[in-house]
Amino acid sequence: MPSKKSQQANVLEWIKIETPHCIRTLETASRHFDRNDALDVHTLEAMYGMESSFGQNRGKRNSVGAAGDFQMEPDTAREMGLHVSKRVDERFDFKASSTAAAKYLKTLDKQFRKKTPLSGDLNTTAVENAEERKKFSIAAYNAGAARIAKAQKLAFQVGDDPTKWADVKKYLEKYVASKDKVNEIRQYVDKVSSYEREFKKK
């Protein structure tokens, strides 16, 4: 995980080049959140910072098909209302992808706000605390809600608290293909949370 000094430097450098259009776009997209959420425009800024490396990688695609400003996979992007085809891919439209990312985060927040069926007999465990729930939503953005719900289930079965990210993240290994991916999920939550705190200070 980057040092606190390097995190601050990343945020400061980004703020220098962040255009009024970019800020307005993220603020508009964040209106999909509500007062019951811990999610806000700073969460979205932090997510964009992570997914685009603060604007440096916005045109890139990764090996599993995620692409665009918020690195959304095609199916997820379409579910959030984006047009994704060989000719037109709105994941690379900053306004459209910001809105889709906010809608997806909001969807994930709702899934962890109450017990939600995902597939078969798999359900999320409700996380009442909004700040804690935000960590689950951020983790699910990276890993998918099903993996996080499975880890919640295992945490409960062994007597840990399925509503505390610190407990649940210990049980990701069983449901994720590689240790590298497990570390990525854990670091993703930590980095986004850290960047968000830095944005709130500015």
Side-chain angles (χ1 to χ4, degrees), residues 156-176:
F156 175 77
Q157 289 172 344
V158 300
D160 275 337
D161 189 341
T163 72
K164 301 293 184 186
W165 175 245
D167 283 359
V168 172
K169 69 181 182 180
K170 296 185 291 186
Y171 300 99
L172 289 169
E173 278 88 351
K174 186 171 181 180
Y175 304 110
V176 181

Side-chain angles (χ1 to χ4, degrees), residues 6-21:
S6 67
Q7 291 164 21
Q8 291 171 336
N10 283 337
V11 171
L12 285 171
E13 284 302 311
W14 172 244
I15 288 171
K16 287 179 186 176
I17 62 172
E18 191 176 28
T19 65
H21 168 71

Side-chain angles (χ1 to χ4, degrees), residues 15-70:
I15 288 171
K16 287 179 186 176
I17 62 172
E18 191 176 28
T19 65
H21 168 71
C22 179
I23 296 167
R24 285 196 301 271
T25 298
L26 292 172
E27 287 175 343
T28 299
S30 70
R31 292 174 189 166
H32 286 279
F33 309 141
D34 60 47
R35 293 178 183 176
N36 296 319
D37 304 332
L39 304 167
D40 61 20
V41 66
H42 302 300
T43 316
L44 210 52
E45 281 183 301
M47 296 284 289
Y48 176 64
M50 276 294 298
E51 296 293 352
S52 73
S53 293
F54 290 92
Q56 295 180 42
N57 299 327
R58 36 179 323 223
K60 294 186 177 179
R61 298 173 185 269
N62 75 20
S63 59
V64 296
D69 294 299
F70 287 86

Side-chain angles (χ1 to χ4, degrees), residues 93-188:
D93 179 301
F94 185 59
K95 182 178 179 180
S97 63
S98 296
T99 298
K103 288 168 67 176
Y104 186 41
L105 272 175
K106 178 65 178 178
T107 298
L108 294 167
D109 181 82
K110 285 181 177 177
Q111 288 180 336
F112 287 96
R113 183 175 294 184
K114 61 182 180 180
K115 181 179 178 180
T116 304
L118 295 178
S119 61
D121 62 350
L122 179 64
N123 303 289
T124 62
T125 300
V127 180
E128 186 174 338
N129 182 277
E131 285 291 338
E132 197 66 29
R133 189 169 63 246
K134 178 167 60 176
K135 297 173 188 175
F136 284 85
S137 301
I138 292 169
Y141 189 101
N142 179 273
R147 281 175 172 166
I148 307 305
K150 287 174 181 176
Q152 281 185 305
K153 184 177 181 180
L154 184 54
F156 175 77
Q157 289 172 344
V158 300
D160 275 337
D161 189 341
T163 72
K164 301 293 184 186
W165 175 245
D167 283 359
V168 172
K169 69 181 182 180
K170 296 185 291 186
Y171 300 99
L172 289 169
E173 278 88 351
K174 186 171 181 180
Y175 304 110
V176 181
S178 70
K179 287 184 178 180
D180 286 346
K181 182 60 181 177
V182 170
N183 288 333
E184 177 191 313
I185 297 165
R186 291 169 179 159
Q187 290 177 16
Y188 188 85

Side-chain angles (χ1 to χ4, degrees), residues 66-99:
D69 294 299
F70 287 86
Q71 288 294 300
M72 299 186 81
E73 294 184 6
D75 288 346
T76 302
R78 292 185 185 104
E79 286 173 16
M80 295 302 114
L82 297 187
H83 187 85
V84 180
S85 69
K86 289 183 178 179
R87 294 186 63 187
V88 179
D89 193 337
E90 288 186 313
R91 292 177 296 173
F92 294 95
D93 179 301
F94 185 59
K95 182 178 179 180
S97 63
S98 296
T99 298

